[in-house]
Amino acid sequence: MGLSDNLKGVILAVASSAFIGSSFILKKKGLKRGGASGIRAGVGGYTYLLEPLWWAGMITMIMGEIANFVAYIYAPAVLVTPLGALSIIVSACLAHFLLNERIQKMGIVGCVSCIVGSVVIVIHAPQEHTPSSVQDIWTLATQPAFLVYVVATLSAVLALVLHFEPHYGQTNILVYLGICSLMGSLTVVSIKAIGIAIKLTLDGMSQIAYPQTWFFLTVAVICVITQLIYLNKALDTFNATLVSPVYYVMFTTLTIIASVIMFKDWSGQNAGSIASEICGFITVLSGTIILHVTREQEPPPPPVGTVTWFINGDSLKSPEEEHLITHHRLDEYYEPRGFAILR
């Protein structure tokens, strides 16, 4: 007996989480090295593009996103998206060993909560209802309720980019991740529409000639690029184990709202199943919050114009923590003790 569509979606979503969770750490290390040798991404720099680790993280993320893309073809968003919590567990564990971002005992409780909530969601998830053509998807996308959601989302993104980012982007994580999450919810519904069009085309019902297919593709590309830009800024500015859970909570919540409005994922389900899914989702959210509040905070990056001591690229130390060169006047002497870089 073959695997059900929902089970295929679950397997792909779990694999996607493993790839994406790893990519956060690889990209974070690449961003730190790039910031040590040039202008940080958080203040508009692009030196991280020269770092192999950042590209390794990008390739890993692309692999994860491909697996996630295919998962949306086989399973509804209310099932696939919450399983992204597993990427938080992966990134938290790897950050503990590779970035020295310590995970506390309560953080383990948070990880367990994420797993338990994910299992509850999988058990009670609705079956996927695939539209018969991309025109049917377009009808769903142009229904008044979803159009209201799109207008509200784009208005919020513009407000965050034009007003809040210049004033609060470097101090409030919700600015960068709000932009990522809002655009991400539109990315998911667009990607799902493209995936369904590809699946129908492979089944012999070509959707390539429909302009709606190319419209969804264009929206997806724009949204993905925007997400990557602001996710890089968030990773460069804030602790990786803070970015992962907050981004997950915001992205998952908005994506489920968008999917439920557009694709009517809960249509046909009884109240008990919907309540179980919501409880599972709340359990996952609780786990991510526990994981977040029990993590040690990363010290803020030094402002431009201050003296920062860099040792071996990644380590950040103060003059009191490392042997340094003390530069005296010409009539005094040099005491050989290390070096410093003026940022």
Side-chain angles (χ1 to χ4, degrees):
M1 185 176 179
L3 299 176
S4 67
D5 283 351
N6 270 19
L7 184 55
K8 292 177 182 176
V10 169
I11 294 172
L12 289 165
V14 171
S16 170
S17 294
F19 284 121
I20 292 175
S22 302
S23 75
F24 271 105
I25 307 306
L26 292 172
K27 291 174 69 178
K28 178 71 174 182
K29 289 185 72 69
L31 287 166
K32 290 177 71 175
R33 290 188 178 181
S37 59
I39 301 175
R40 294 171 37 245
V43 292
Y46 293 95
T47 52
Y48 62 86
L49 294 175
L50 302 177
E51 293 296 328
L53 271 178
W54 186 87
W55 283 107
M58 178 59 67
I59 292 171
T60 306
M61 175 171 279
I62 290 172
M63 293 171 63
E65 293 296 348
I66 291 174
N68 203 44
F69 169 76
V70 181
Y72 279 115
I73 298 177
Y74 289 103
V78 294
L79 168 60
V80 174
T81 306
L83 292 180
L86 301 179
S87 67
I88 299 174
I89 298 174
V90 173
S91 64
C93 293
L94 292 178
H96 178 80
F97 294 105
L98 300 179
L99 297 180
N100 297 319
E101 296 177 1
R102 199 178 310 167
I103 183 171
Q104 308 296 335
K105 291 181 179 179
M106 283 301 295
I108 299 175
V109 175
C111 292
V112 173
S113 297
C114 290
I115 295 173
V116 171
S118 297
V119 171
V120 172
I121 292 171
V122 169
I123 293 174
H124 296 280
Q127 292 297 316
E128 172 73 341
H129 303 290
T130 304
S132 58
S133 72
V134 74
Q135 290 178 313
D136 291 342
I137 304 174
W138 181 256
T139 300
L140 296 173
T142 54
Q143 58 184 313
F146 188 70
L147 290 178
V148 170
Y149 176 83
V150 171
V151 171
T153 297
L154 295 179
S155 299
V157 168
L158 286 175
L160 288 170
V161 171
L162 299 178
H163 175 70
F164 290 97
E165 182 188 359
H167 297 91
Y168 309 107
Q170 293 291 306
T171 57
N172 192 326
I173 194 173
L174 297 181
V175 176
Y176 290 147
L177 295 187
I179 297 170
C180 289
S181 302
L182 288 165
M183 297 300 287
S185 67
L186 299 182
T187 300
V188 168
V189 294
S190 300
I191 288 293
K192 186 171 180 65
I194 296 167
I196 293 173
I198 293 174
K199 183 180 180 182
L200 292 171
T201 299
L202 295 176
D203 290 339
M205 296 175 286
S206 178
Q207 307 295 306
I208 297 176
Y210 293 108
Q212 293 92 334
T213 301
W214 300 103
F215 175 82
F216 286 126
L217 179 61
T218 302
V219 171
V221 170
I222 293 172
C223 292
V224 166
I225 292 174
T226 304
Q227 281 181 265
L228 288 176
I229 291 173
Y230 285 95
L231 182 57
N232 281 333
K233 289 186 176 185
L235 282 171
D236 187 60
T237 308
F238 303 97
N239 191 303
T241 51
L242 172 62
V243 172
S244 296
V246 175
Y247 181 43
Y248 168 78
V249 171
M250 297 176 67
F251 171 76
T252 303
T253 302
L254 291 169
T255 296
I256 289 178
I257 292 172
S259 183
V260 167
I261 294 174
M262 178 173 170
F263 291 102
K264 305 184 187 304
D265 290 329
W266 286 340
S267 178
Q269 278 199 295
N270 57 50
S273 295
I274 295 175
S276 297
E277 290 174 55
I278 293 174
C279 289
F281 181 53
I282 292 174
T283 302
V284 172
L285 294 186
S286 300
T288 60
I289 293 171
I290 292 172
L291 189 57
H292 158 51
V293 299
T294 57
R295 299 294 296 181
E296 52 183 22
Q297 298 295 313
E298 181 175 336
V304 177
T306 62
V307 175
T308 302
W309 311 106
F310 290 99
I311 309 298
N312 294 329
D314 283 338
S315 301
L316 179 63
K317 298 184 179 181
S318 66
E320 293 77 14
E321 297 173 311
E322 188 56 57
H323 296 296
L324 306 165
I325 288 178
T326 302
H327 186 196
H328 297 270
R329 295 193 309 272
L330 293 177
D331 58 349
E332 295 183 312
Y333 62 90
Y334 290 93
E335 181 181 356
R337 300 170 69 186
F339 67 93
I341 298 174
L342 180 62
R343 293 288 305 285

